[in-house]
Amino acid sequence: AKRDLARVVELDQANGAGKRELALVKKKIQEHKAKSKKSFANLFERAGGVYDDREREKEEKAAKKRREEEALQQAYDQEKGRREEAGEAEISFKDWKEQKEAAEKKAKEEEEAKAKEQRKKEREARRKERREEKDELELDEDDASLMKELQRGYCYFRRNQSAEEKSLIGDIAPKKVGGGGDGPSTPGGHGAASMGAASPASASSGSASAWNSDGTTWEEKDCSVWARDTLESMLQRVTVAGEDHQGASVSAKVTKVSKVDGDASVAVVRGKARYLFDLSAEMDYEIELEEQGAASGKKYRGKITLVDITNDALDDMEVAVVPKGAAVPPNHKPQVDAVVQDLRNEIKAKCIPEFAAAFQTSQ
């Protein structure tokens, strides 16, 4: 249209209508070009925005590194000047930096050791306090009297009775309980509480042994092996999965339970069963993150330690997570941190309470 109108005006210079139409067409073409230019400019701005955060992050890291290097150089210059004034031997920047890093590392390790020892003392104090409170709440007057007698110890003096004594008080010779005979108890019989590796079922009936039918003696059965094996099996099955807002699939699971330590037992006092355990555990975990369109997923590993798994204070259990291997890149860190927290919650809020319930209800 522009070419045709231009040809008309060229042939007829007095054609005013043709000139007006030509001017209008030129204006429309300019407006269209301006609009197209603006659209393409916005498109490139949006595409460039994808990389803005990464570039900004690189610049911030570079600026931080420069500040640290400047501060380090300034500290070295001060130390160099101090040595000159004191008449001490000169030290190179490299040697000074290595000594400084070694001193900082040692100080950090000492601080961590002190903090760890302090946490241990606090845990022991809390456990002692809980035991004392538990004893005060659970032991009635008869139980307290019985415990005092046990602390003083029992003595049995064997002697032959005379005929007159037997007629007065009867035969007091020890007899086998529940065996149907009149002979004395034999080792391995029912004359003592079993302390083997029992399961909770062997003591969860709420009743004492035949020799302790009146329930006045504290009877305790060891369930440590059952508890350690069961907790290990339950932890080994822990797994969580999720999907972040960008569509990346991320999951975490316990790959290996390396250690479960501690004790567990069922105590029966006055016909009432009490389920006691004090355990700890260590395990390895693995996180797998798969991004859409990626040829293969990324894997990150670490270690989880559980401390103070006790029957009377599950909420006080400590969960420590330590990553291992390659560091998590910044673009994956939010997803990895989120799934690690989910894994912690799965262990603390679900797996451990389920173990405690199984300990009390297992038959």
Side-chain angles (χ1 to χ4, degrees):
K2 180 182 176 182
R3 287 196 301 270
D4 292 342
L5 288 171
R7 183 61 176 167
V8 169
V9 172
E10 182 182 352
L11 295 175
D12 185 4
Q13 296 292 332
N15 192 335
K19 291 180 179 180
R20 287 193 296 272
E21 288 295 328
L22 179 59
L24 182 61
V25 169
K26 288 181 177 179
K27 183 179 179 182
K28 292 288 185 181
I29 292 173
Q30 290 176 352
E31 290 176 353
H32 178 72
K33 287 182 178 180
K35 185 177 180 180
S36 298
K37 183 178 180 181
K38 184 177 180 181
S39 298
F40 282 113
N42 291 337
L43 176 63
F44 286 114
E45 286 177 3
R46 289 194 297 271
V50 176
Y51 303 97
D52 286 347
D53 292 341
R54 294 182 182 178
E55 292 299 324
R56 190 180 302 110
E57 185 178 352
K58 289 181 181 179
E59 292 175 0
E60 290 175 355
K61 286 184 177 180
K64 182 180 179 181
K65 185 176 180 180
R66 286 195 299 270
R67 290 194 298 269
E68 291 176 350
E69 290 176 350
E70 291 172 358
L72 198 62
Q73 184 64 47
Q74 185 178 2
Y76 170 70
D77 292 339
Q78 292 177 354
E79 174 63 15
K80 186 177 179 181
R82 186 196 67 78
R83 284 174 173 267
E84 290 177 355
E85 292 179 0
E88 297 179 5
E90 186 177 350
I91 186 172
S92 66
F93 178 80
K94 180 181 178 181
D95 293 341
W96 172 81
K97 184 179 178 182
E98 289 177 352
Q99 291 180 8
K100 183 176 183 297
E101 290 175 348
E104 290 176 349
K105 181 180 179 181
K106 182 179 179 181
K108 183 179 179 181
E109 290 175 350
E110 291 176 351
E111 184 178 352
E112 290 176 351
K114 289 180 180 178
K116 185 177 181 180
E117 184 65 24
Q118 181 63 28
R119 289 195 298 270
K120 182 178 179 181
K121 290 180 179 179
E122 291 174 356
R123 287 198 303 269
E124 291 297 332
R126 289 197 303 269
R127 291 165 68 178
K128 182 179 179 181
E129 183 179 355
R130 289 197 299 266
R131 291 193 191 101
E132 292 175 351
E133 291 176 354
K134 183 179 178 182
D135 290 343
E136 292 176 0
L137 291 173
E138 293 187 349
L139 292 180
D140 57 19
E141 185 176 347
D142 292 338
D143 290 337
S145 176
L146 176 61
M147 292 303 294
K148 289 180 180 179
E149 292 294 332
L150 288 172
Q151 290 171 1
R152 283 198 293 266
Y154 286 113
C155 292
Y156 171 73
F157 298 93
R158 183 172 181 175
R159 59 187 295 272
N160 294 325
Q161 294 174 272
S162 65
E164 183 180 358
E165 289 173 334
K166 287 184 179 181
S167 65
L168 291 174
I169 63 176
D171 187 3
I172 62 172
K175 294 180 175 59
K176 185 176 181 180
V177 178
D182 296 330
S185 299
T186 58
H190 296 284
S194 173
M195 296 301 289
S199 71
S202 63
S204 61
S205 60
S207 61
S209 299
W211 60 268
N212 188 28
S213 58
D214 57 357
T216 57
T217 300
W218 177 288
E219 184 180 355
E220 186 172 359
K221 296 188 178 181
D222 186 10
C223 303
S224 300
V225 174
W226 180 94
R228 290 193 291 264
D229 291 346
T230 302
L231 181 57
E232 178 180 350
S233 176
M234 296 178 77
L235 288 171
Q236 189 71 55
R237 297 194 298 268
V238 173
T239 178
V240 295
E243 186 171 310
D244 71 357
H245 64 282
Q246 296 176 346
S249 175
V250 59
S251 62
K253 64 180 179 180
V254 173
T255 56
K256 178 183 178 182
V257 180
S258 55
K259 183 169 65 174
V260 177
D261 287 333
D263 304 305
S265 61
V266 178
V268 180
V269 179
R270 302 183 68 82
K272 180 181 178 182
R274 298 169 186 172
Y275 301 86
L276 315 172
F277 57 86
D278 188 350
L279 304 166
S280 63
E282 292 181 3
M283 68 210 76
D284 297 329
Y285 70 87
E286 180 181 85
I287 297 171
E288 186 169 1
L289 189 147
E290 295 183 357
E291 295 178 302
Q292 288 184 350
S296 60
K298 298 290 185 180
K299 292 185 178 181
Y300 306 103
R301 297 175 176 83
K303 178 180 178 181
I304 296 177
T305 302
L306 308 180
V307 181
D308 275 354
I309 311 173
T310 58
N311 57 285
D312 54 350
L314 292 181
D315 291 339
D316 291 344
M317 181 185 71
E318 294 187 9
V319 183
V321 179
V322 180
K324 297 192 300 184
V328 179
N331 59 318
H332 288 172
K333 198 170 189 307
Q335 298 97 311
V336 171
D337 288 347
V339 78
V340 166
Q341 185 61 41
D342 291 343
L343 191 63
R344 288 168 55 101
N345 294 340
E346 183 74 10
I347 292 172
K348 187 170 184 177
K350 186 177 179 181
C351 180
I352 299 301
E354 287 179 355
F355 162 77
F359 186 48
Q360 295 189 28
T361 60
S362 176
Q363 296 296 327

